[in-house]
Amino acid sequence: MSKPKILVFAGSLRKDSLNKKLARAAGRYAEAAGAEVTFLDLADYPLPIYDGDIESASGIPENALKLKQILAAHDGFILSSPEYNGGISGVLKNAIDWVSRPLEGEPSMAAFKDKWVALLAASPGALGGIRALPMVRTILSGIGCMMMPEQVALGQANKVIDADGAITDEAAASRVQRLSERLVRFAAK
């Protein structure tokens, strides 16, 4: 097996986002399982809201091109998605929309096609962001990603993720660890 490259990120811009902390915890498990892990913060790549007129007039924004290059260079993704009003965050959907735009001569969905994805969500609420995950799964599988069948939605995450981003609940930590390790195995093939 080769050493897979795993990109870890959250669909949130907030500095102290529970989803960023959960993604990082999952990334540490993937690293321990033998992956080469890169942490990405979407806040470092601001983008305008996707608009075909902007694309026609100015092309694909530089930050979208940077994100596309980063995603394309990895074998799989660990993605922790917040749930906003029962759905996917606007920043995550917008990033996906911009990165999915093809460059001349580039294969369709080059940054997404055949990438393994592990989905997580964290929320202070009881459901843990579970309502957003089917939407994220539908979007990513529709553009060529291969989705891990299991996922983790961590309810009351503010009580089980400490200030340093460690998961303090043994059962929750075990679920995140298993998902991360399985992603590493799949991405290595």
Side-chain angles (χ1 to χ4, degrees), residues 77-102:
F77 313 136
I78 291 174
L79 171 56
S80 189
S81 176
E83 178 185 305
Y84 292 174
N85 298 313
I88 184 173
S89 72
V91 69
L92 178 58
K93 181 64 167 77
N94 193 52
I96 292 168
D97 290 344
W98 273 117
V99 171
S100 71
R101 301 305 300 151

Side-chain angles (χ1 to χ4, degrees), residues 1-184:
M1 279 193 327
S2 62
K3 187 173 187 171
K5 292 178 70 174
I6 303 297
L7 183 65
V8 177
F9 62 105
S12 177
L13 298 177
R14 198 165 53 83
K15 181 182 171 196
D16 290 324
S17 161
L18 290 169
N19 282 281
K20 284 182 182 180
K21 290 178 182 179
L22 179 58
R24 285 190 172 279
R28 288 190 294 271
Y29 289 128
E31 207 165 34
E36 182 181 326
V37 173
T38 303
F39 295 97
L40 173 88
D41 191 334
L42 290 178
D44 294 334
Y45 301 89
L47 292 166
I49 294 173
Y50 177 76
D51 180 341
D53 290 339
I54 292 173
E55 183 180 7
S56 293
S58 309
I60 298 172
E62 183 179 343
N63 280 338
L65 295 172
K66 288 177 183 176
L67 285 171
K68 181 187 285 254
Q69 188 174 33
I70 293 167
L71 270 69
H74 289 81
D75 303 306
F77 313 136
I78 291 174
L79 171 56
S80 189
S81 176
E83 178 185 305
Y84 292 174
N85 298 313
I88 184 173
S89 72
V91 69
L92 178 58
K93 181 64 167 77
N94 193 52
I96 292 168
D97 290 344
W98 273 117
V99 171
S100 71
R101 301 305 300 151
L103 297 171
E104 191 172 327
E106 178 182 73
S108 179
M109 304 301 165
F112 299 103
K113 191 116 175 107
D114 299 330
K115 307 290 179 156
W116 281 102
V117 181
L119 290 180
L120 305 103
S123 170
L127 298 178
I130 192 73
R131 294 179 298 176
L133 292 183
M135 293 174 203
V136 178
R137 180 176 296 277
T138 297
I139 292 164
L140 292 179
S141 63
I143 58 176
C145 290
M146 299 180 295
M147 308 304 295
M148 298 297 298
E150 57 276 288
Q151 59 192 20
V152 174
L154 190 56
Q156 299 182 331
N158 57 319
K159 296 179 182 176
V160 297
I161 299 176
D162 70 17
D164 297 323
I167 303 170
T168 58
D169 178 85
E170 241 180 85
S174 178
R175 289 176 34 228
V176 173
Q177 181 177 9
R178 278 193 312 272
L179 179 59
S180 300
E181 290 171 348
R182 191 158 187 233
L183 173 70
V184 170

